[in-house]
Amino acid sequence: MNKTIIININGIVFHIEEDAYEVLKSYMTDVKRHFMNSDDSLEITTDIENRIAEMFNELLAKENKQVIVEQDVKAVIEQMGTVEDFEHAEEDTKASFSGTYYNNTESRRLFRDPDDHLIGGVCAGIANYFDIDAVWVRLAFALSLIFAGSGLILYIILWIVIPKAVTRADRMAMKGQKLNLQGFKKNFEEELGSMRDNLHDFRHQARPFAYKARDFVGDFFHHLGVFFNGAGMILLKLIGIFILLCCFGLTVFIIVAFVALLGFGSFAPFHDLPYSLLRHHHAEYIYTSAFLVAFIPLLAIILITLKGIFNTGSINRSTGTTVLVLWLFALGVLVYNITKIASDFRSSASFSETINIAPVKGNTYYLKLNDLKYFTAEDSARLGIKNLQPNIKVTEDPYEYNDFEHFQFRNVHISIEKSDVNQPVIVESYRARGNGYEDALLNARNTKYIFSQQDTVLKFDYRLYALKDDLWHDEELYITLKMPLNAKLVIDENMSNMLQNADINNCKVTNKQDKARSATFIMTGNGLQCKVDTLVADTIINKHLPIDSSKILKK
């Protein structure tokens, strides 16, 4: 039977066997003797005693016992290091700089840094954990404020969740320093040297206003934290629940969007996405990477909020690192694909073609929109077009904009100008974009436009057609219809959206023919003008309407 005594280590009471106490007492005597000549031996020995007390608590809790035995004391001493080993290590270091390197680092722990803080020390703590400069972490949080203030919300959550480095052991663990004798002495010397530098600087310059403001903000948030720990805990939980509901709602939304995009190729709220373009660039990779880029931060916010408010379990470091690597990989895939798509629109090219129009008797032309639907050979075979009865025409509504496949080739613009000769002509200027000039020119040539003349009727199609199953590269067609002087053009109202210099509706109103299906124009020396009936023109002039009578063409 061993005798048990009660000891007090910096306010913490332990039950320890007498043999173990003698070993511990001898060890602490050697430690105090070694550091007795230090600048502040009391502070450093107190920190060492605090660390020993923490290790005793961990041992008792781990083994579920109440008494410290000699084996426990020796295990703690082995981890802390003996004075003899520490002195030998110092002598070896002083004797030769090329000797064996003494590893004085271990895995880091995440704390808020109270010594290097602007607000709560969160950024400095994260910087210490990843061994980077704190300015980059602060810059990242500052930039994240533009994303609906998400950085501020995340900062407040981390401020609440991450503990503050109070003791020297906490600050050493935060920086990855070993919690042994050499680590404590090195940390104390670094702290003392830093204090001397600060005092030296203080003699030469006044304390900057930024640091005073920093301390004021720090004190404010400290008292605010005390409030949250007390009466404000209910409010804090309500805010956490609100954040969780928002995150869960966004999570459900992006999951539904992800399933819809993979299953159906489109999603109504994202109607502006160029789906046909994405289908040619491995859309499933783009959708998956975009989903992970949005989903992982939401999941992290949910877990951090649950940890801070409801004290649930947290993800270990290895799992968190794996998820971070996955998120960075998904972000890289998304950026790569978007950059690759954008590179296909880097350059532009164009070419022109001239088509002669057969002159007609009376010099009168009827401009109409061609609403016939054209099929490829594959479409004709798939839909059985040959089996339709004679005289059946398949038409297409030119105003139906629901299908992006059709909308992407609707960039057809028509302008009517005066021709320098008596021969009416059409100049078609094709334009497209591509990765380079040659690629853009090839894209422009891989489009086709259907124009036809049937005696006096000129039929214009409302869209371009792709010769191959190529991507959309911002193809456009500018048609210039050059008509000789005094040529008369009867333009169908369905061409209103395509014409650039002929206001059909205004011409119908001028002639008091609001319900007419077309309007008549004539080519003059000043360009295309609306042809107004004589009786209508006289009525307008008599009523003193604000109209330029010099531009009215009477029948």
Side-chain angles (χ1 to χ4, degrees), residues 463-526:
R463 55 167 292 189
L464 287 166
Y465 295 89
L467 297 181
K468 301 177 182 179
D469 186 22
D470 287 339
L471 295 175
W472 175 61
H473 293 95
D474 198 18
E475 290 87 352
E476 287 187 300
L477 173 61
Y478 291 86
I479 299 176
T480 303
L481 176 60
K482 296 186 176 182
M483 303 301 295
L485 192 65
N486 297 324
K488 186 167 65 174
L489 292 88
V490 182
I491 305 176
D492 192 272
E493 65 176 359
N494 289 336
M495 298 190 63
S496 298
N497 295 331
M498 301 174 63
L499 293 173
Q500 295 183 328
N501 60 341
D503 194 340
I504 298 175
N505 292 329
N506 187 49
C507 186
K508 291 193 299 181
V509 171
T510 303
N511 284 289
K512 296 184 177 181
Q513 298 176 348
D514 297 353
K515 297 183 180 180
R517 301 297 301 274
S518 61
T520 303
F521 294 80
I522 191 168
M523 184 59 67
T524 67
N526 294 325

Side-chain angles (χ1 to χ4, degrees), residues 189-203:
E189 290 175 349
E190 290 176 353
E191 185 177 291
L192 189 61
S194 177
M195 185 181 300
R196 288 170 178 170
D197 293 339
N198 291 335
L199 290 174
H200 181 267
D201 295 337
F202 186 76
R203 296 191 188 99

